[in-house]
Amino acid sequence: MRYCINCCIHLLPNDLHRQCFRCRGPDHNNQKCPVCKGENKIPLYTDSKQMKWLAVLEVRTDHCESWNGFFCLRKGKLCSLMFGLIVMTLVMVSYILTGAKHGLLLIPSPFHYGAFASNPSLMDNESLSDMKDHYQPSKTNISYVKDYPSIKLIIDTITSKIEFITRQRPDLEELRKQEPHMFSVIPNKFLPNSKNPCWYEEYRGNTTTDPYATNSYALYSKRFRIVFDYLRKVFWNHLYHYKGKHYRLRCLPHFYIIGQPKCGTTDLYDRLRLHPEVRFSASKEPHWWTRKRFGIIRLRDGFHDRYPVEDYLDLFDLAAHQIQSVLQSEAVREHGKMNNIIIGEASASTMWDNNAWIFFYDNSTDGEPPFLIQDFIHAFQPNAKLIIMLRDPVERLYSDYLYFASANKSAEDFHEKVAESLQLFEGCVLDYSLRACVYNNTLNNAMPVRLQVGLYVVYLLDWLTVFNKDQILVLRLEDHASNMRYTMHKVFQFLDLGPLSEKQEALITKSPASNTRRPEDRSLGPMLPTTKAILRDFYRPFNTKLAQVLFDDAFLWKRT
């Protein structure tokens, strides 16, 4: 597109100056031109429209020759470009300096490894189809490859600070002082003719009393309301009447599926509940031991009223009614047979989530929690059985990110969040013990991805301080996905369940996988190869220790 240098007006294709729009012929005079208005500089027009700011060039009408005018125009463009670059540079410098100062930069700087210092006052379910998504082709972003050396230094620092120190187990009296009400409700002995831990509790209400009127699960969670509406209708029919008093059967779970999130716990739960001798709580994940008993509904919403232990026990009333029917049957009462129905609970947070301790228990030395979930479970149920489902922690973390991230999900975004989380974790272990950092509420909430959930051996060792090894069954999702029949038989044997017919077994082992990865997440593809290498380096020492504890190299998750 060509222009008249003197009057800055769009020329016609034949390039005749006398045919310029707005010009009055070859005798055009700047002083008289209504467009020029007597000025010695005229705005540039494109397609008969004046250009906007930053696109406007001011050209002096000094009657340059055509080539001179051309260079004048180029000079104006160059000045405008230089001005824009200077503005952009100033903005970027301001962002970088401000971000570095407040710890807001997404990509950790290789020169500031300890920027995120911690201090003493700071402190889930999977998809079998994920196993098929690992090795889809992806393009490596060169900029992220360059991150590896600096992040590797951070990982080396973390590795140098790893110490697996056995924790001191609190005594029973200390636990009683912390939770006196809980100990007043749950007895220390259970019915001898029931495989599941149950007991009778006197009920002092009458037929018009709503036994679930104050239950927090019924009040605050829609998914429980239908269950409690049914329980209200049948409640009186299941009371046991003895010597003019009314008693209700109360039960705790016989076994717990305690972790980990995004490791197949939902699929295991859905299959196990099909066994005729197994019952579960009213909903899969009540999260009572880790959150609700502290008044945590959602961490971002702060604390609410604490859910008392009675509210938790109400979740097992449906199962308790069935157990009571067995206990009152002739086979049990007259022939001394046992009730073989057992109850399970499957909150995937039970193994690892002790984030609330800092707000309710006196702080201990070095910022480590003085009491953990397992201390209380063992105090009431020393014979409880625990099932743990694990998977490659690298893949678990990516699945966790895809499931819980709400927007802007991508392999690149995941990489940035991993880098930031590693830097935060490094800042903690430089000053505190590994256990203090793993159970640090503020650190765990600050990390954009939940790195700590994949540190399986740290949690397992803490559970082994109170439970015997033969009370804990540890499975791998990879084995469950490749040979489901084998893993389910291991679970049946561990729980000492009765035999199944071929039809029952086929129903349990051949049903479709539960909680598979969402199609929109699957379309994002795998993580970046550089991110995977970084995470493999980070988790390697923890996997090595886990394999040693379990005497099984499969928990190294080595790739061939």
Side-chain angles (χ1 to χ4, degrees):
M1 191 174 291
R2 293 175 296 172
Y3 301 86
C4 171
I5 297 300
N6 289 325
C7 55
C8 303
I9 298 174
H10 183 193
L11 295 176
L12 289 177
N14 59 10
D15 201 16
L16 296 178
H17 185 270
R18 64 179 178 276
Q19 292 180 326
C20 286
F21 301 125
R22 305 177 188 271
C23 282
R24 298 292 181 256
D27 298 327
H28 172 261
N29 186 294
N30 291 340
Q31 302 299 324
K32 298 179 180 180
C33 177
V35 178
C36 303
K37 296 181 180 178
E39 298 182 7
N40 198 33
K41 51 186 180 179
I42 307 170
L44 177 66
Y45 284 80
T46 302
D47 295 334
S48 302
K49 296 181 181 178
Q50 184 173 338
M51 294 176 67
K52 297 182 182 297
W53 182 71
L54 286 183
V56 176
L57 300 178
E58 293 188 347
V59 183
R60 296 185 180 276
T61 57
D62 52 0
H63 300 287
C64 299
E65 295 296 326
S66 59
W67 281 105
N68 291 337
F70 174 74
F71 287 119
C72 290
L73 181 63
R74 290 197 56 162
K75 183 178 179 182
K77 287 184 177 180
L78 182 60
C79 292
S80 178
L81 178 62
M82 291 300 295
F83 176 74
L85 288 174
I86 291 171
V87 171
M88 287 180 61
T89 302
L90 291 174
V91 171
M92 289 300 296
V93 169
S94 174
Y95 165 75
I96 292 172
L97 292 177
T98 305
K101 180 178 178 181
H102 297 287
L104 300 175
L105 292 181
L106 293 179
I107 300 298
S109 167
F111 306 105
H112 297 85
Y113 297 124
F116 297 92
S118 180
N119 63 67
S121 64
L122 302 180
M123 335 210 297
D124 317 305
N125 309 330
E126 183 57 50
S127 169
L128 299 183
S129 68
D130 285 356
M131 308 307 300
K132 303 174 182 177
D133 297 336
H134 295 335
Y135 294 110
Q136 299 178 11
S138 64
K139 296 182 179 179
T140 302
N141 188 317
I142 299 300
S143 64
Y144 293 109
V145 173
K146 293 179 180 178
D147 289 342
Y148 182 78
S150 60
I151 298 177
K152 185 62 167 64
L153 291 175
I154 294 176
I155 295 172
D156 290 343
T157 301
I158 294 171
T159 302
S160 69
K161 296 293 182 178
I162 295 175
E163 287 185 281
F164 299 104
I165 302 174
T166 304
R167 67 181 288 260
Q168 186 67 36
R169 176 178 166 182
D171 60 43
L172 187 60
E173 286 306 312
E174 290 179 294
L175 297 175
R176 288 182 183 276
K177 291 178 182 178
Q178 298 300 323
E179 299 287 353
H181 178 69
M182 199 188 309
F183 279 90
S184 70
V185 172
I186 301 176
N188 54 16
K189 291 184 179 180
F190 304 115
L191 296 176
N193 55 349
S194 176
K195 182 178 177 180
N196 196 86
C198 298
W199 67 97
Y200 280 107
E201 175 186 279
E202 183 179 354
Y203 180 70
R204 293 182 173 84
N206 54 46
T207 55
T208 61
T209 304
D210 179 2
Y212 305 108
T214 60
N215 186 287
S216 300
Y217 285 101
L219 293 174
Y220 300 123
S221 180
K222 293 180 181 179
R223 60 180 173 152
F224 287 104
R225 289 174 188 168
I226 296 176
V227 175
F228 282 110
D229 286 342
Y230 170 77
L231 287 172
R232 289 185 182 96
K233 296 176 183 178
V234 301
F235 179 81
W236 194 260
N237 297 332
H238 290 278
L239 290 179
Y240 176 66
H241 308 283
Y242 181 72
K243 292 185 179 181
K245 294 183 179 181
H246 306 299
Y247 297 87
R248 65 189 294 188
L249 188 68
R250 288 293 209 179
C251 296
L252 280 169
H254 173 71
F255 71 94
Y256 297 84
I257 300 175
I258 63 174
Q260 289 287 67
K262 312 311 297 173
C263 289
T265 57
T266 297
D267 189 78
L268 179 61
Y269 161 84
D270 284 337
R271 295 180 193 282
L272 198 49
R273 68 203 294 254
L274 297 176
H275 195 288
E277 293 181 359
V278 176
R279 303 292 184 272
F280 275 94
S281 55
S283 183
K284 174 183 177 279
E285 294 188 293
H287 296 296
W288 185 78
W289 288 102
T290 55
R291 299 169 189 173
K292 300 299 189 292
R293 72 186 180 102
F294 297 110
I296 300 173
I297 298 177
R298 294 182 184 86
L299 286 173
R300 64 177 180 270
D301 297 336
F303 291 94
H304 298 259
D305 292 337
R306 300 180 69 175
Y307 288 30
V309 66
E310 292 89 345
D311 290 2
Y312 180 60
L313 297 175
D314 287 346
L315 300 180
F316 306 106
D317 276 4
L318 275 175
H321 292 168
Q322 296 179 48
I323 291 175
Q324 183 177 3
S325 298
V326 174
L327 292 175
Q328 293 177 347
S329 67
E330 182 179 346
V332 174
R333 287 188 295 108
E334 297 182 9
H335 301 287
K337 290 187 176 181
M338 288 278 293
N339 158 62
N340 288 320
I341 294 177
I342 59 173
I343 304 173
E345 200 256 72
S347 297
S349 63
T350 307
M351 181 178 180
W352 64 275
D353 189 354
N354 281 275
N355 287 335
W357 74 268
I358 193 72
F359 302 106
F360 294 92
Y361 304 136
D362 292 336
N363 199 352
S364 65
T365 57
D366 301 324
E368 294 187 12
F371 310 104
L372 296 176
I373 303 303
Q374 51 266 41
D375 298 330
F376 293 98
I377 294 179
H378 183 268
F380 301 117
Q381 299 175 259
N383 299 318
K385 294 197 172 185
L386 311 166
I387 301 175
I388 302 171
M389 183 80 90
L390 304 178
R391 72 185 293 190
D392 182 345
V394 175
E395 300 297 339
R396 192 220 69 81
L397 186 64
Y398 190 50
S399 179
D400 196 69
Y401 162 79
L402 293 177
Y403 187 83
F404 289 105
S406 57
N408 302 320
K409 290 185 284 189
S410 68
E412 293 76 15
D413 181 65
F414 177 66
H415 178 92
E416 293 174 354
K417 286 178 166 54
V418 166
E420 183 179 354
S421 298
L422 284 169
Q423 190 176 30
L424 287 165
F425 196 80
E426 180 212 26
C428 183
V429 297
L430 285 172
D431 297 322
Y432 302 100
S433 70
L434 176 62
R435 182 179 291 107
C437 293
V438 165
Y439 295 123
N440 187 310
N441 175 70
T442 302
L443 172 66
N444 293 338
N445 289 336
M447 287 194 294
V449 290
R450 301 193 295 183
L451 285 175
Q452 80 281 6
V453 178
L455 305 181
Y456 307 139
V457 71
V458 178
Y459 305 111
L460 179 60
L461 289 172
D462 283 349
W463 281 84
L464 287 172
T465 60
V466 291
F467 287 97
N468 295 326
K469 199 170 183 178
D470 60 2
Q471 292 178 260
I472 304 176
L473 175 64
V474 184
L475 304 170
R476 295 193 330 144
L477 175 62
E478 292 84 355
D479 300 329
H480 184 62
S482 62
N483 193 342
M484 195 172 298
R485 187 173 181 272
Y486 172 73
T487 57
M488 293 309 300
H489 272 266
K490 287 186 69 173
V491 175
F492 298 156
Q493 183 179 7
F494 176 70
L495 296 176
D496 193 24
L497 298 176
L500 296 171
S501 67
E502 290 185 8
K503 185 177 180 180
Q504 289 173 322
E505 184 174 315
L507 178 64
I508 292 174
T509 59
K510 295 182 180 180
S511 56
S514 301
N515 199 26
T516 56
R517 183 173 290 180
R518 295 169 295 208
E520 60 270 25
D521 293 339
R522 206 173 294 144
S523 65
L524 295 175
M527 71 185 83
L528 298 175
T530 304
T531 316
K532 181 174 288 189
I534 288 168
L535 289 172
R536 291 227 179 281
D537 289 341
F538 172 68
Y539 285 118
R540 184 174 293 111
F542 300 98
N543 294 343
T544 300
K545 182 66 174 180
L546 179 65
Q548 292 172 356
V549 171
L550 298 175
F551 300 101
D552 190 347
D553 286 347
F555 290 94
L556 294 172
W557 284 286
K558 287 184 177 179
R559 297 292 181 184
T560 56

